[in-house]
Amino acid sequence: MIFSFIFESYLRFGDMENRIRIILADDHELFRTGLINLLNDIEDILIIDQASDGAELVKKYELHHPNVVVTDISMPILSGFEAFKQIRKFDDHAKFLFLSMFESGEYVHYTRKLGGRGLLGKNVRINELCYGIRQIHNGYEYFGMEWTRDKLEKLNEQYKNLADGVMGPDLFLTVKEKQILYLISEGYTSSEIAERMNLSKRTIDAHRHNLMKKVNATTPAQLVAFAIKFNSLSASPYS
């Protein structure tokens, strides 16, 4: 598969040295293939390989060392965030642009805390995606036009002020609850969390329900936001 990508791009654009070499990772084949087809029309971008889960992404990265990785956050085996953490262990200069259904400040802050260079919604227009890829390739961050430097700095200040509240003495979480929050923040579904923790989905759903009560979340989206916020301010329960 990879040779067909490279050969097709070589025939169309010639020398690959000046292209931005990309690995694209997403577990939805239709989305992944469609995005590859769109990016194949961009002269300065070259898709050198693809991955359908985080573990495959780590292997492909180690094989190719691309200029930029464009990856979904929520994927099987390893999430995009977890794959990034593993890759940073052997390449601390890895440049990642994450794609997600969530573009909230919590995800932006968490991405920056991990060392990711960018985060965009999966409904992003192709022109803006290409702009983001170029910005990240050139050593900059890109989280969308609305996330100006001033707004990013204010987000940092906001999280500094939130630290005491989120980690306050009145909030007691068990080790298992912290693990579940961590996996929620990494983009895993209840079924995927159940599989990873060797528990039933019903048990995970019960834990999520109890967590919502503990943190005063009234919707699943608020629980996700809290999980991102909590894990951006605390150590991983798996470390």
Side-chain angles (χ1 to χ4, degrees):
M1 182 68 72
I2 177 176
F3 294 109
S4 64
F5 287 148
I6 295 176
F7 184 63
E8 179 182 350
S9 297
Y10 183 82
L11 287 177
R12 298 176 64 190
F13 303 129
D15 188 1
M16 295 184 291
E17 288 185 5
N18 296 321
R19 315 298 174 192
I20 304 173
R21 299 166 60 253
I22 302 289
I23 290 179
L24 178 64
D26 194 286
D27 59 320
H28 294 97
E29 184 177 1
L30 190 62
F31 177 84
R32 190 174 70 247
T33 302
L35 191 51
I36 287 171
N37 289 337
L38 289 172
L39 290 174
N40 275 341
D41 289 331
I42 309 301
E43 292 189 3
D44 62 335
I45 291 175
L46 177 67
I47 305 293
I48 59 170
D49 212 337
Q50 58 179 298
S52 59
D53 61 63
E56 185 181 16
L57 173 57
V58 174
K59 292 177 182 177
K60 295 290 181 70
Y61 189 98
E62 197 164 9
L63 179 64
H64 300 296
H65 285 270
N67 300 125
V68 178
V69 171
V70 178
T71 180
D72 189 13
I73 291 176
S74 179
M75 293 191 295
I77 306 179
L78 294 176
S79 71
F81 284 148
E82 287 182 312
F84 176 63
K85 292 173 191 175
Q86 289 201 13
I87 288 168
R88 285 291 292 265
K89 291 177 181 178
F90 60 83
D91 184 359
D92 58 3
H93 298 295
K95 296 177 179 178
F96 269 56
L97 171 57
F98 294 98
L99 300 179
S100 176
M101 299 301 294
F102 304 99
E103 304 171 70
S104 64
E106 288 84 5
Y107 269 92
V108 170
H109 180 77
Y110 191 50
T111 298
R112 298 185 80 211
K113 182 175 182 288
L114 291 179
R117 299 296 185 90
L119 170 72
L120 292 171
K122 296 188 78 170
N123 61 346
V124 64
R125 292 180 179 274
I126 189 65
N127 288 344
E128 185 173 10
L129 176 61
C130 292
Y131 178 79
I133 289 171
R134 294 180 186 115
Q135 286 290 96
I136 289 168
H137 176 59
N138 289 326
Y140 301 104
E141 292 182 311
Y142 189 72
F143 293 90
M145 297 298 292
E146 71 275 17
W147 286 100
T148 62
R149 176 57 54 187
D150 286 345
K151 190 173 180 179
L152 288 171
E153 290 302 322
K154 288 179 181 177
L155 186 67
N156 281 342
E157 289 301 317
Q158 175 188 343
Y159 271 81
K160 288 178 184 177
N161 295 333
L162 281 171
D164 290 338
V166 174
M167 303 295 292
D170 294 334
L171 180 63
F172 174 76
L173 298 174
T174 66
V175 171
K176 189 166 291 183
E177 286 172 335
K178 290 178 182 178
Q179 290 172 339
I180 291 171
L181 278 176
Y182 173 80
L183 293 172
I184 289 173
S185 75
E186 294 284 314
Y188 288 101
T189 65
S190 289
S191 296
E192 291 167 338
I193 293 172
E195 184 176 351
R196 288 177 66 91
M197 297 185 68
N198 198 26
L199 298 170
S200 70
K201 181 179 179 296
R202 180 177 295 181
T203 299
I204 298 301
D205 286 338
H207 278 297
R208 291 183 77 132
H209 181 72
N210 291 335
L211 280 166
M212 288 179 68
K213 288 183 177 179
K214 279 191 176 184
V215 305
N216 296 318
T218 58
T219 66
Q222 288 180 352
L223 181 61
V224 171
F226 178 86
I228 292 289
K229 191 176 298 181
F230 181 84
N231 287 317
S232 71
L233 298 170
S234 58
S236 165
Y238 289 97
S239 59

